[in-house]
Amino acid sequence: MNREQLFDIANAWFESKNWKPFPFQTQTWTAFLQGKHGVLNAPTGSGKTYALWLPIVLDYIKKNSDYKTKHKPGLKAIWITPLRALSVEIKQAAERVADDLGTQLTVGIRTGDTTSSERSRQKTKMPDLLVTTPESMQLMLASKGYDAVFKNCSAIIVDEWHELLGTKRGVQVELALSRLKTVAPKMRIWGISATIGNLQQAMDVLLGPNSEALGNSVMIRAHINKRINVISVLPEKMDAYPWRGHMGLHLIHEVAKIIKKSRTTLVFTNVRSACEIWFQALLDKYPEFAGDMAMHHGSISRETRQWVEQAIRDEQLRAVVCTSSLDLGVDFAPVETVIQIGGPKGVARFLQRAGRSGHRPGQESNIYFLATHAIELAEASALRRAVKETVVEDRVPYLNSWDVLVQYLVTLAVSDGFYPDEIFNEVKSTFCFQGMNEDDWQFCLNFITRGSQSLQAYDEYKKVEIEADGKFKVNSKAVALRHRMQMGTIVGDATMTVKFLGGGYIGTIEEWFVSKMNPGDVFIFAGRKLELHRVKNTEVIVRRADPVAKARHATWMGGRLTLSAQMSELLREELYAANTDNMSKEMHALAPMFTRQRKESIVPNSDEFLIETFKTREGYHAIFYPFEGRYVHEALASLMAYRISLLAPISFSLAYNDYGFELLSDQEIDMQQVLDNNLFTPQHLHHDLQASLNATEMARRKFRDIAVIAGLVFTGYPGKVVKTKHLQSSSQLIFEVFRDYEPDNLLFQQAYRETFEHQLEEGRLILALERIQQQAIIWKQCQKPTPFSFPIITDRLRERLSSETLAERIKKMTASYMK
């Protein structure tokens, strides 16, 4: 068949669905059928999935004129998705195309949720079209004879590429593609991305910066002006203070009104604990929602999550309270409305969530923003402008992730083995390892065969053997088993399964939370009140608790989100506009707060940097307002405390949020001395950060994750998971061995590099200091805490007080401030 005939088939199929293809879809079909690689950039809900499944099936039809009567089994295309939750929807889309066009193509899923029986079937007979994840892709590469499985694969699609770029899972994909280019030389590589700033770099990373694929590639952008309506949830009467209702629950009645007038609503929270709290609060206030509302986050059982996803599609639910587990790609047509609780901290994340509503070409997306305290309304205003001006964050790709490379090399050695010279060229062709030299490569080879210089006396680190012909191979079944059990790059705190006493799996909670509980204690998890019966191995056995029993919500150790660089800049611009007539409705709503702020201090302009000092019964407070995000402020707080202590002996307790940071001491800071000594200089920054933050301790904690990925420590077998504290102590011991005897070890150096580059965002910190140096520093000596300072103070108090105690404390602080 020629291209015109194939397009006739495609257009006829679209017409049968009462659809009309967009130009970007037909452009993608053309490029794919011409054998090109590429990246497709299109907004969520615009039909990206069919832009690539359709040409994959058309390509099969083109190559097999007898496709309706004869079927040639074997893997023909792979679709990599970052979230398991997306796999069912993607599979259904592929089946819709393949079945409607009369092919006999089979579609399968291979993720962590795939049953062992299904995986066994796939070993003997792979589906024609496979939906999988980066981790499962690596597991396939760890299977013997994988080259025969992949050799006739004609396409690999990496969905939501922006979500993988800038993560170690993205590095996994880069390495897998480097191998598949050799094994399946006719394979076309395509990435799909909805929201990303550095699109050209994203394509370079996907295809390889100097690869042949890049020379035969195309970037296709969809020019679809999808309307996104950003609506701020404002109370009828705007309070003058920013500290009220730090979870946003004071606006729960407004949320209920939105839910009641929409067909289906997704209520997004940023963390799992907030998801649990909001779900329970809505049920308590509105018991009529029972049966019409559900919860969805990554720690709830797979069966429950899948039921919730299908119930949304079938319009059985009025509302779902969820986290990022429903951020991406899932096609929930009935969803009319999205509510975002608290600042999403990034434009891309906000756009992704907005796109869950109106997830059809031509439909509008409606997203309500509920600020959990007043200053977050400035974030709502900033997000509205970002949506209008299409400002989206860049994703910074990883470089030299040696832990992922070491894991990958063992993966290849577990399957059929590898010859270093061949694999070196493949690895070096990736973006992540383009700067790798022969010494770096030799370190990695030595590491997997001898455990590196300082560990070569221990047999447990000698995983890979070098055979007579020079092939690197794992011959130990125990080593292979342990490697397959631990494959992946997502390292979290140890989890324990929650089960009812009479049987029935509920989900997983983290070991540290369980360690603080005793039998008889009651906690709320997955929307249920549960009483702890006993802990047995890695199982938390529970029974249903008395409905009126006092309970605490399950919490997780996952770090808080921080403002992206773009969001920080937008937020500053909104706050600077508070001194002008050019204000949004959200900023107008904040007028009472700004009035209070100006009474005690100022609202800074773009050329001003604000410092506030005041005294309370807690001590002497110094609050700094860079508006640069939590991670930058964490580093800045430690840096300033260290530099001030060099001027005079003084100790501080530190607090920080996305707007600023606090230094609290029992003695007054000589602020004039701080200003006279130019303590905001970026000079000697790296040295001062290392001295102020105890960078060794931070790197030691970071090394735990690196050690797990590189296989230096083993997380345990199913049902016998190694406790977090044991993992930490084991990795710390190895860290200290490297520090004392092998300081040039690449994994040891990586721990420091990742601490500064990714955790502390040293690059952003330098830019922030340079900006502050250009501003006039305004020091305000205040009589009491200001509205700007309250979110920072309450963040510090939250670390020490329960929610109930904190609410009472804030109430008293507010009352005293009103006097």
Side-chain angles (χ1 to χ4, degrees):
M1 286 189 185
N2 59 34
R3 192 170 73 88
E4 287 72 21
Q5 291 172 310
L6 293 171
F7 268 47
D8 287 342
I9 293 173
N11 288 320
W13 185 78
F14 261 66
E15 285 177 16
S16 72
K17 305 292 181 186
N18 294 318
W19 299 340
K20 185 178 180 181
F22 285 113
F24 82 84
Q25 291 174 317
T26 55
Q27 288 169 23
T28 306
W29 303 344
T30 300
F32 185 91
L33 293 170
Q34 287 174 343
K36 292 185 181 295
H37 311 273
V39 167
L40 170 59
N41 174 234
T44 299
S46 60
K48 299 188 300 295
T49 308
Y50 292 120
L52 279 157
W53 267 142
L54 198 55
I56 287 171
V57 176
L58 292 176
D59 188 56
Y60 172 74
I61 292 172
K62 177 184 176 182
K63 293 175 180 175
N64 300 275
S65 56
D66 55 353
Y67 67 93
K68 288 190 176 183
T69 56
K70 290 184 180 179
H71 177 237
K72 298 175 183 177
L75 185 62
K76 297 168 181 64
I78 304 167
W79 193 290
I80 295 179
T81 170
L83 284 182
R84 287 177 289 184
L86 308 183
S87 57
V88 174
E89 191 70 38
I90 295 165
K91 175 177 182 283
Q92 289 173 347
E95 287 175 331
R96 204 169 290 128
V97 176
D99 294 347
D100 288 355
L101 295 187
T103 72
Q104 300 175 58
L105 294 171
T106 58
V107 188
I109 295 175
R110 178 71 175 265
T111 70
D113 288 343
T114 304
T115 63
S116 56
S117 58
E118 176 61 21
R119 285 198 297 269
S120 296
R121 279 194 295 272
Q122 288 179 2
K123 280 184 179 179
T124 55
K125 186 179 180 182
M126 285 293 289
D128 298 298
L129 310 175
L130 180 70
V131 182
T132 188
T133 60
E135 293 80 8
S136 293
M137 186 73 202
Q138 292 288 316
L139 275 167
M140 291 172 69
L141 290 175
S143 304
K144 295 188 186 306
Y146 69 85
D147 54 343
V149 172
F150 290 115
K151 69 178 181 180
N152 293 319
C153 185
S154 63
I156 185 161
I157 314 300
V158 185
D159 203 355
E160 308 288 359
W161 176 230
H162 59 276
E163 191 68 21
L164 292 168
L165 188 69
T167 70
K168 291 186 178 181
R169 299 177 80 206
V171 178
Q172 276 189 317
V173 172
E174 287 185 66
L175 289 169
L177 291 175
S178 74
R179 182 88 279 260
L180 293 181
K181 285 177 190 175
T182 301
V183 173
K186 295 181 180 179
M187 180 183 69
R188 279 152 284 188
I189 302 168
W190 279 79
I192 302 177
S193 178
T195 47
I196 191 169
N198 52 331
L199 198 56
Q200 182 58 56
Q201 188 178 52
M203 187 156 80
D204 292 348
V205 177
L206 180 71
L207 301 180
N210 301 303
S211 65
E212 289 183 15
L214 195 61
N216 182 35
S217 65
V218 61
M219 184 181 295
I220 297 174
R221 302 179 194 236
H223 299 287
I224 299 174
N225 295 318
K226 184 174 176 64
R227 184 176 175 82
I228 298 176
N229 301 312
V230 182
I231 308 150
S232 292
V233 181
L234 299 173
E236 292 181 6
K237 184 179 178 182
M238 189 67 194
D239 290 305
Y241 300 99
W243 54 81
R244 182 179 174 191
H246 64 273
M247 292 296 295
L249 292 170
H250 61 294
L251 291 172
I252 194 168
H253 300 300
E254 301 297 324
V255 170
K257 287 179 190 175
I258 297 167
I259 291 172
K260 287 178 179 178
K261 70 181 184 182
S262 297
R263 199 167 57 160
T264 305
T265 301
L266 297 183
V267 183
F268 277 103
T269 62
N270 289 334
V271 292
R272 286 167 287 184
S273 54
C275 180
E276 295 269 353
I277 290 168
W278 263 93
F279 178 79
Q280 198 64 43
L282 281 165
L283 274 185
D284 290 345
K285 293 282 186 184
Y286 296 90
E288 65 268 28
F289 284 166
D292 289 335
M293 185 172 69
M295 179 168 37
H296 191 289
H297 63 69
S299 292
I300 295 174
S301 69
R302 178 188 69 198
E303 291 76 16
T304 301
R305 283 185 277 117
Q306 290 177 340
W307 178 85
V308 170
E309 291 159 21
Q310 194 57 49
I312 297 172
R313 296 185 188 97
D314 297 340
E315 298 188 55
Q316 296 177 9
L317 294 171
R318 172 173 280 186
V320 176
V321 186
C322 55
T323 63
S324 57
S325 58
L326 287 184
D327 265 8
L328 303 174
V330 186
D331 183 6
F332 294 138
V335 175
E336 285 184 340
T337 305
V338 169
I339 302 173
Q340 169 65 44
I341 306 292
K345 309 305 178 187
V347 180
R349 185 179 296 111
F350 187 71
L351 291 174
Q352 284 286 351
R353 292 177 175 180
R356 297 304 105 228
S357 73
H359 198 276
R360 278 288 184 271
Q363 290 190 6
E364 295 183 356
S365 294
N366 297 309
I367 183 165
Y368 289 81
F369 183 99
L370 188 151
T372 59
H373 57 76
I375 297 183
E376 271 194 336
L377 278 175
E379 289 188 45
S381 183
L383 285 165
R384 186 197 306 282
R385 187 153 61 87
V387 168
K388 183 179 179 182
E389 298 173 6
T390 60
V391 177
V392 184
E393 292 89 357
D394 291 349
R395 301 296 176 104
V396 181
Y398 268 79
L399 290 172
N400 298 331
S401 292
W402 305 117
D403 52 345
V404 184
L405 177 55
V406 163
Q407 184 187 88
Y408 171 71
L409 292 178
V410 177
T411 296
L412 296 183
V414 161
S415 54
D416 298 322
F418 69 90
Y419 294 98
D421 289 347
E422 179 185 7
I423 300 301
F424 173 78
N425 292 323
E426 292 179 2
V427 170
K428 195 168 172 56
S429 72
T430 65
F431 188 95
C432 183
F433 300 104
Q434 59 185 304
M436 179 179 67
N437 58 37
E438 289 284 355
D439 290 341
D440 299 333
W441 179 244
Q442 198 57 50
F443 166 84
C444 295
L445 296 177
N446 289 341
F447 185 86
I448 62 176
T449 54
R450 294 188 296 192
S452 84
Q453 177 185 329
S454 53
L455 298 176
Q456 54 188 325
Y458 303 95
D459 289 341
E460 64 186 283
Y461 301 112
K462 300 173 182 176
K463 298 178 180 179
V464 179
E465 298 174 21
I466 306 174
E467 297 184 338
D469 63 350
K471 179 186 282 189
F472 281 54
K473 187 84 169 64
V474 168
N475 293 314
S476 164
K477 290 184 178 179
V479 168
L481 175 62
R482 285 171 62 140
H483 180 74
R484 289 192 179 100
M485 294 296 307
Q486 194 166 294
M487 200 175 295
T489 63
I490 300 175
V491 181
D493 288 281
T495 58
M496 306 181 77
T497 57
V498 183
K499 291 185 175 180
F500 281 118
L501 182 59
Y505 173 63
I506 304 170
T508 60
I509 55 178
E510 289 177 357
E511 174 198 311
W512 75 273
F513 177 76
V514 179
S515 68
K516 297 180 179 180
M517 300 183 68
N518 297 309
D521 287 352
V522 178
F523 65 102
I524 298 171
F525 171 60
R528 300 179 173 99
K529 273 192 177 179
L530 306 171
E531 179 186 325
L532 177 62
H533 177 63
R534 71 174 188 273
V535 176
K536 181 182 179 183
N537 297 326
T538 58
E539 293 183 346
V540 181
I541 311 299
V542 299
R543 56 164 68 97
R544 293 188 185 276
D546 186 333
V548 298
K550 190 174 181 180
R552 55 176 167 165
H553 285 274
T555 54
W556 287 262
M557 289 289 282
R560 297 184 190 179
L561 300 173
T562 185
L563 285 177
S564 68
Q566 283 84 348
M567 269 300 298
S568 298
E569 185 175 349
L570 289 165
L571 176 65
R572 286 194 299 273
E573 290 172 1
E574 291 299 313
L575 290 171
Y576 297 152
N579 295 318
T580 71
D581 295 328
N582 184 27
M583 287 194 294
S584 64
K585 68 175 185 178
E586 289 88 0
M587 300 303 285
H588 275 295
L590 287 173
M593 187 197 76
F594 290 136
T595 300
R596 284 277 178 181
Q597 175 68 20
R598 292 187 184 101
K599 184 177 178 181
E600 288 294 322
S601 178
I602 66 164
V603 177
N605 291 317
S606 60
D607 57 352
E608 295 173 329
F609 179 75
L610 176 61
I611 301 173
E612 295 175 345
T613 56
F614 49 83
K615 185 179 184 297
T616 69
R617 64 181 183 178
E618 292 181 298
Y620 294 91
H621 304 255
I623 316 257
F624 303 76
Y625 298 98
F627 298 105
E628 269 292 353
R630 172 177 292 273
Y631 293 167
V632 174
H633 294 159
E634 177 185 5
L636 264 177
S638 297
L639 179 71
M640 292 304 296
Y642 170 72
R643 288 178 172 178
I644 291 171
S645 70
L646 295 179
L647 300 176
I650 188 171
S651 58
F652 299 101
S653 62
L654 311 179
Y656 32 83
N657 68 4
D658 280 315
Y659 311 121
F661 61 92
E662 174 195 50
L663 305 182
L664 175 62
S665 180
D666 59 0
Q667 63 188 90
E668 191 170 5
I669 300 172
D670 185 343
M671 192 57 69
Q672 192 57 52
Q673 191 182 25
V674 171
L675 302 181
D676 291 344
N677 282 275
N678 188 24
L679 296 195
F680 289 100
T681 176
Q683 289 186 333
H684 312 296
L685 174 64
H686 195 78
H687 172 271
D688 290 353
L689 273 179
Q690 285 186 306
S692 64
L693 277 162
N694 191 358
T696 298
E697 182 55 38
M698 295 182 77
R700 186 182 281 116
R701 290 199 298 269
K702 178 68 70 177
F703 185 75
R704 186 202 75 165
D705 294 357
I706 292 171
V708 169
I709 294 168
L712 279 168
V713 294
F714 183 52
T715 53
Y717 297 101
K720 294 183 180 180
V721 179
V722 177
K723 290 186 175 181
T724 303
K725 62 181 181 181
H726 293 156
L727 274 181
Q728 192 66 45
S729 59
S730 298
S731 64
Q732 282 183 6
L733 183 61
I734 296 171
F735 179 88
E736 285 158 12
V737 168
F738 288 164
R739 182 192 62 193
D740 296 339
Y741 300 103
E742 197 180 343
D744 58 348
N745 183 289
L746 294 183
L747 297 174
F748 175 74
Q749 292 177 351
Q750 183 182 338
Y752 280 95
R753 179 162 44 82
E754 288 187 5
T755 296
F756 283 98
E757 290 180 5
H758 298 281
Q759 185 171 341
L760 298 175
E761 297 192 83
E762 189 176 9
R764 270 182 74 183
L765 180 56
I766 292 171
L767 293 175
L769 289 173
E770 289 174 347
R771 177 174 53 80
I772 293 169
Q773 284 209 306
Q774 301 300 314
Q775 295 174 310
I777 296 179
I778 309 297
W779 168 31
K780 285 293 181 180
Q781 295 171 283
C782 307
Q783 297 303 308
K784 60 180 72 172
T786 66
F788 276 17
S789 70
F790 256 86
I792 301 173
I793 293 171
T794 53
D795 257 27
R796 171 168 50 78
L797 292 173
R798 192 180 296 128
E799 301 295 331
R800 297 186 285 130
L801 304 175
S802 68
S803 296
E804 295 84 358
T805 315
L806 178 62
E808 286 298 314
R809 181 70 178 278
I810 293 174
K811 190 175 179 180
K812 289 177 184 176
M813 292 166 69
T814 305
S816 66
Y817 189 74
M818 289 290 289
K819 292 178 182 176

